[in-house]
Amino acid sequence: RVEHPAGGYKKLFETVEELSSPVTAHVTGWIPTWLRGSLLRCGPGLFEVGAEPFYHLFDGQALLHKFDFKEGHVTYHRRFVRTDAYVRAMTEKRIVITEFGTYAYPDPCKNIFSRFFSYFKGVEVTDNALVNVYPVGEDYYACTETNFITRINPDTLETIKQVDLCKYVSVNGATAHPHVENDGTVYNIGNCFGKNFSLAYNIIRIPPLQADKEDPMNKAEVVVQFPCSDRFKPSYVHSFGLTPNYIVFVETPVKINLLKFLSSWSLWGANYMDCFESNETMGVWLHVAEKKKGRLLNIKYRTSAFNLFHHINTYEDNGFLVVDLCTWKGFEFVYNYLYLANLRANWDEVKRQAEKAPQPEARRYVLPLNIDKADTGKNLVTLPYTTATATLRSDETIWLEPEVIFSGPRHAFEFPQINYKKYGGKPYTYTYGLGLNHFVPDRLCKLNVKTKETWVWQEPDSYPSEPIFVPHPDALEEDDGVVLSIVISPGTGPKPAYLLILNAKDMSEVARAEVEVNIPVTFHGLFKRA
C-alpha cells in the first residue's frame, strides 16, 4: 500500500486564481489524433473569502475547468462560476451565502432591525455549482444539489444565467447525477413534498431539444413519485439507476431532518451538514418503477445499512435488475469525514480518521422483478454468474445480500465511470474508478465486474481525479478508447499538474499534458466532442 507522508494531497484543497485566457499545456507522449473536444470538470477553487474559511469539502466556490484537445495540442482554461454565492462574496468580501458545511454570518453592517426582517425571508439556498456539469438540449449547466443550476458557455467558461428548477417542476432540489440518454432526454431525482404533507422523491424528465428549438426545460415533467420511508425525513439522494425500462432508487439511512432545516438556521448558526442524521434501524430500502408507464412496482426490497453516493451501472437480465453500487458500510454519514481540516491533516492523522469511518465496498445487488408467494424462504436469484441473493420473507419483503465486486481495507473504488453512451443501462464488463486511500485519491483503477480483475495506474505523490472514458470513434470493443484524468504532482519537478491520458485497455500511459499551475480537486465532469 502506498503512503503519503509528504502530504502533497493538501494541494488539492488550496485556493487558486482563475485564468484570463487559456494556457498551452506541454505534451509528452502522443495525443491520439481522433481525440478532439473538451474535458469539462467542476470543483471548489476558492477555499476562503478574505479571513473567513470554508470548512467542508463541498463549500469552496465553484471553479470550472476545461482541457481542449485539437490536432494533438492541448490547452487548459478555468473560470470561477459567477453564482450568486460567488458574486456576493466578492462584492462584500465575506461569506454571504451559507454553504454545505459553513454558516454565513449575518451582515455585520446591518442594524438589529434589518437583521430581524431579513431573518423572516428565511434561508437563502446556495447556488454554488461545484459538483458537475451536464447537457440539457444544446445548453450546458454546472450544478450542485440544490434547486439552482447555472447555465455556462462550454467554450469560454462564461456564466450565462442562474436557473431555478422549482420554476419548472415540483422538486426542492435535484442531484448532480442526472442520466442523459442518447437522444438527449435527461432524467433526474429530487426530494419533494408529496401527498398529505409527507415527503417523497420525484423523478423528473426533460425531453430532448425539438425542432421548434424551444428550451427543453419548459417541457420538464415529473414521471413518477417514490414514497419516503419516513414522512418527515427524506433520505439524502446523490444518484439513481436507470435502464431502458426501469428506474431504481436506493433509499439509505442518511436522513435530512426537515424540522432542523426549516427552523430557520439563522437563529442558531446552522448549515446543511447540521441537518443530517442517521436512522440506525431502517437499513436500506430499494424501490423500482417502470420508466415508460411511470408505475411503481409494489415490491419491498430491503438490505443492511450503507451510504451510497454513486451508482456504477444498472441493467436488466432475464427478469432481474442488476444494480452495481459504490457503497460505504453502515449508517454513519461519510460526509462527516470530509471536513477540510480532516482532509488537510498530516498523513498519520488522515489515516487515523479514516479508520473510524464507514468502510468502502463496490457491490452488486440483484433485484427479482417477478415474485411468486410460493417461493417464500427461497433465494429468487437464478442468474448463473452472480453470488448475490434475494430471499422472499414471510412479511413479503425481499432481503438482498450483495456480491462484492471490489473491496480493500480503507481503499475505495469511487467516482465510477463506464462506457456510458453504449453500455449505460445495459449489460457491461468494465468500470473505471478513482482509488481513494483513506479518502486520499492516489490511483486510477479499471475493474472487470465479471471477473473482478483490476488494472491500476499509480505514481508516487500523484493525486488523480475521476477518470473519464472516451471511446474511440471506430471502437469495436467496450474498452476501445482512452481514460482522461487531471493529476496533481506537487512534490515532483517544476510542473504541478497535468492532464493524463491512459489507454483504457490496460491503463498504460499514452500521453500527459503538463501545466504550470496547481489544479485543486475536481469532482465530476464530461468529455464534449468537438
Side-chain angles (χ1 to χ4, degrees), residues 34-46:
W34 57 263
L35 188 66
R36 297 187 58 233
S38 318
L39 176 69
L40 292 167
R41 294 189 59 74
C42 285
L46 180 76

Side-chain angles (χ1 to χ4, degrees), residues 56 100 123 153 295 320 358 375 379 395 412 416 434 470 472 506 520:
H56 200 273
F100 196 73
V123 180
N153 179 323
R295 196 171 64 86
F320 296 93
D375 291 329
N379 168 28
D395 63 359
L434 179 61
V470 184
H472 190 287
D506 59 3

Side-chain angles (χ1 to χ4, degrees), residues 307-313 324-328 358-363 404-419 428-449 452-457 466-467 483 507:
N307 284 222
L308 169 66
F309 307 103
H310 301 122
H311 280 250
I312 303 173
N313 199 13
D324 291 351
L325 309 172
C326 294
T327 67
W328 298 79
Q359 291 309 300
E361 194 163 78
R363 295 176 168 180
V404 175
I405 53 181
F406 181 90
S407 189
R410 260 87 48 205
H411 276 213
F413 179 93
E414 256 292 350
F415 294 86
Q417 289 285 325
I418 59 167
N419 182 340
Y428 74 117
T429 306
Y430 302 109
T431 174
Y432 308 86
L434 179 61
L436 304 182
N437 173 0
H438 298 78
F439 295 116
V440 171
D442 70 355
R443 64 199 189 283
L444 296 168
C445 187
K446 175 186 183 180
L447 171 66
N448 180 322
V449 296
K452 304 181 178 63
E453 184 182 1
T454 58
W455 297 257
V456 171
W457 177 92
E466 168 191 63
V483 166
M507 299 298 275

